[in-house]
Amino acid sequence: MVDSLSFSTIPDMTSFATSGLADGQAANVSDLKRGGLFRWASASTATVNDGTIFSATGGGRWLRIDPLPLNVQWFGAVGDGVTNDHAAFMAAHDALMPDGGTIVIPKGFYRLSSAINQHCAIIWQGEGNSAGVSNRTIGSFTTNAQGSVLLIDAGVSACIINASNTDGSGTAPDGTYPNGAGSALRDLYIRSNGGGSNVDGVWMRATSTLENVTIRGFSGRGLRIEASVSSSNPVKGNANLWMLTNVNLIENGGHGLHVKSNDANAGVATRVDCTVNGGWGILDESLIGNTYVACHQAGNTLGAFRTSDTAPNTVIGDYIEMDTTGDNADFGNGTTVIGDLAGQSASNAAASRAFVMTAGLSVAAPYRHLNRRASPSVVGIVGSLQPNYGAIGWGSSNDTIGAANQADWQIQYNTTSKWWDFQYQGGGTPFTVLRFPTGASLANPRKFAADFPNGHFLGGAFRAIGSAAPATGAWLQGDVIENSVPVAGGNAGWICVASGSPGTWKSFGPIAA
């Protein structure tokens, strides 16, 4: 056996006559992109994939030694931005069916004429995702992208990660395909040449990870995470537990990131940048919510960040540029927002149940806790209680929380009087029971005295203040009205001596002339 045969190219090796070679003969191909070490398997009839398995003149197969991870260039990808490398990408994909694995995409510009329609768990591993100072022309594309760059022809998507019952934009019976769950896109710059109508960049229909990826210039959504296991839902798939880290969604015609449907939940997005997209920067319409950490939005047409009323999303440390009218957030009921610098759109009315705890610019609706073990259930509220600045509210769950965020009872700061008011709101109209002055609102000796502006009970008898005896209302014997405008020669007040409406009243406490 010859120690090792040497060839310059793959065609040189496959055209070499194998007659007389011993089984297991080694060969080295020096081609920088497709080359490597191979051995001849004389009896092999394995399916040729022109990446790891090659035909041999005279029979048998040339098998790549140490074939994992795969490399798209082994399957003929050129990476010059002109050659259509789609067939090479799909050949690498098919070589890993059904079990999946890792495919390396070396630095270069890979033009794809169609979407990668992925049917098994594959990690597409690039070698960098960055942008240069200025644009340059690569084939028909103008871009400043650097690293491992996928240049997507006009009007087509880049990648669809399928579940076992989905196929591209369509569906299939359950179990038709291997599942793409567990897939990942890493260290890639994905750039569309534009065109088409509502063409999404990447559609995640199975649980996947995107890490250090840029998606730019598609006519539809940059990243679409939409899936549902429900048999009645035509979307199909299951993308629960998705994950995004350091993802840039830029200049797409629709939303930057759109998360939607019954099984696009429990995902985590960390440092996702959504800039100058034609819809919302981030739009979450999931069923049970997701978590967003240290994300950023700027210059998106519909607004920066919107969550639906149905899902309890959590948003932590989000940063929204405040330069344009589109830089506003619209957090729906159930969303918890912590530590954000965020605008607030007019559509997010005071009735929103979003809980916003931040030193930023958001208008915060209250956090509500419902204790269903009590009978009747009771609700506690901490946060903004419109129309003034409330701190705490509580009451029965039977109370209707209206547009002004009232609870049955609440303590709130009155911005007009500069007093803290203890109010009853159950009837819909604020009724102040007790008031506490702030240090700046009154001088001594009244500075810290409590006030009962609508009266109080003392030993079961009601006491209030007024300028005359009551002429209307139901009163009880022993009720007292103290004179609010006492004068010399007048009286200190009036007392009810017989119950009724208004009852019988007599003056008391003559004041010296």
Side-chain angles (χ1 to χ4, degrees):
M1 177 187 297
V2 178
D3 287 344
S4 180
L5 299 173
S6 295
F7 302 101
S8 297
T9 67
I10 292 292
D12 290 344
M13 179 181 70
T14 58
S15 63
F16 181 80
T18 57
S19 58
L21 294 182
D23 185 56
Q25 173 66 56
N28 176 64
V29 178
S30 60
D31 184 297
L32 293 178
K33 292 186 175 181
R34 302 191 69 192
L37 297 176
F38 299 83
R39 68 177 180 86
W40 181 57
S42 59
S44 175
T45 58
T47 301
V48 173
N49 60 28
D50 290 332
T52 58
I53 304 170
F54 294 89
S55 61
T57 300
R61 297 288 187 267
W62 287 105
L63 306 179
R64 188 180 292 272
I65 298 173
D66 296 329
L68 297 177
L70 300 188
N71 186 315
V72 292
Q73 292 185 349
W74 294 352
F75 295 84
V78 177
D80 61 1
V82 177
T83 304
N84 181 9
D85 289 325
H86 180 263
F89 273 66
M90 291 310 301
H93 166 278
D94 294 346
L96 291 178
M97 287 279 279
D99 298 327
T102 298
I103 300 175
V104 174
I105 305 173
K107 288 183 179 180
F109 297 87
Y110 299 87
R111 178 184 151 233
L112 302 180
S113 63
S114 299
I116 299 170
N117 193 29
Q118 183 175 324
H119 279 298
C120 61
I122 292 177
I123 297 173
W124 299 93
Q125 180 62 61
E127 293 186 338
N129 157 36
S130 62
V133 175
S134 58
N135 287 332
R136 53 181 166 168
T137 300
I138 307 292
S140 63
F141 295 79
T142 300
T143 181
N144 64 347
Q146 298 180 147
S148 296
V149 182
L150 307 186
L151 299 176
I152 312 301
D153 279 1
V156 299
S157 296
C159 182
I160 301 174
I161 302 172
N162 290 286
S164 62
N165 58 356
T166 70
D167 183 21
S169 60
T171 60
D174 291 346
T176 301
Y177 300 101
N179 200 330
S183 295
L185 304 178
R186 291 178 176 156
D187 301 316
L188 296 170
Y189 197 116
I190 303 173
R191 182 70 163 94
S192 173
N193 216 8
S197 177
N198 298 319
V199 177
D200 301 324
V202 174
W203 185 1
M204 190 187 297
R205 309 189 72 177
T207 304
S208 305
T209 297
L210 269 65
E211 183 177 347
N212 193 28
V213 172
T214 295
I215 303 174
R216 184 172 185 173
F218 289 86
S219 61
R221 293 159 285 193
L223 175 58
R224 175 185 183 184
I225 304 176
E226 183 176 4
S228 174
V229 299
S230 172
S231 59
S232 61
N233 193 316
V235 175
K236 303 293 186 184
N238 185 346
N240 289 326
L241 299 172
W242 54 266
M243 181 172 289
L244 309 178
T245 303
N246 194 30
V247 174
N248 305 303
L249 304 168
I250 305 170
E251 295 177 348
N252 297 289
H255 311 303
L257 169 61
H258 190 192
V259 184
K260 184 179 181 180
S261 206
N262 296 351
D263 291 285
N265 311 295
V268 178
T270 304
R271 211 239 66 129
V272 174
D273 175 33
C274 299
T275 304
V276 197
N277 295 287
W280 288 93
I282 297 176
L283 174 59
D284 191 302
E285 297 179 298
S286 60
L287 180 64
I288 60 175
N290 298 285
T291 300
Y292 299 87
V293 180
C295 296
H296 171 264
Q297 304 89 42
N300 300 285
T301 301
L302 295 183
F305 202 143
R306 185 178 189 276
T307 59
S308 66
D309 289 342
T310 58
N313 290 284
T314 300
V315 181
I316 302 173
D318 191 68
Y319 184 84
I320 299 175
E321 302 289 351
M322 301 300 294
D323 296 333
T324 68
T325 56
D327 294 327
N328 288 305
D330 189 356
F331 297 120
N333 296 350
T335 298
T336 298
V337 184
I338 301 175
D340 280 31
L341 178 60
Q344 185 80 6
S345 72
S347 62
N348 196 3
S352 170
R353 295 277 72 76
F355 171 55
V356 183
M357 184 172 66
T358 175
L361 305 178
S362 292
V363 176
Y367 169 76
R368 303 173 72 241
H369 172 70
L370 180 63
N371 181 359
R372 297 187 183 278
R373 294 187 177 183
S375 181
S377 299
V378 294
V379 62
I381 298 177
V382 178
S384 174
L385 299 167
Q386 302 291 333
N388 292 300
Y389 299 96
I392 300 173
W394 65 92
S396 166
S397 63
N398 296 327
D399 175 44
T400 299
I401 305 296
N405 288 334
Q406 299 102 337
D408 277 349
W409 295 92
Q410 69 179 38
I411 298 174
Q412 74 168 20
Y413 182 68
N414 190 308
T415 57
T416 301
S417 67
K418 305 296 190 295
W419 289 54
W420 282 95
D421 293 345
F422 176 35
Q423 295 184 337
Y424 177 70
Q425 297 268 15
T429 300
F431 183 87
T432 300
V433 177
L434 177 63
R435 304 173 70 204
F436 301 92
T438 62
S441 59
L442 292 175
N444 285 326
R446 299 171 177 82
K447 192 169 186 178
F448 301 108
D451 179 33
F452 296 86
N454 292 293
H456 64 94
F457 286 94
L458 182 64
F462 182 73
R463 303 180 72 90
I465 191 169
S467 59
T472 59
W475 298 88
L476 299 177
Q477 184 182 18
D479 290 347
V480 173
I481 301 296
E482 297 185 19
N483 196 340
S484 61
V485 286
V487 295
N491 58 287
W494 300 268
I495 186 169
C496 183
V497 296
S499 302
S501 298
T504 302
W505 292 83
K506 300 293 182 181
S507 62
F508 70 88
I511 302 173

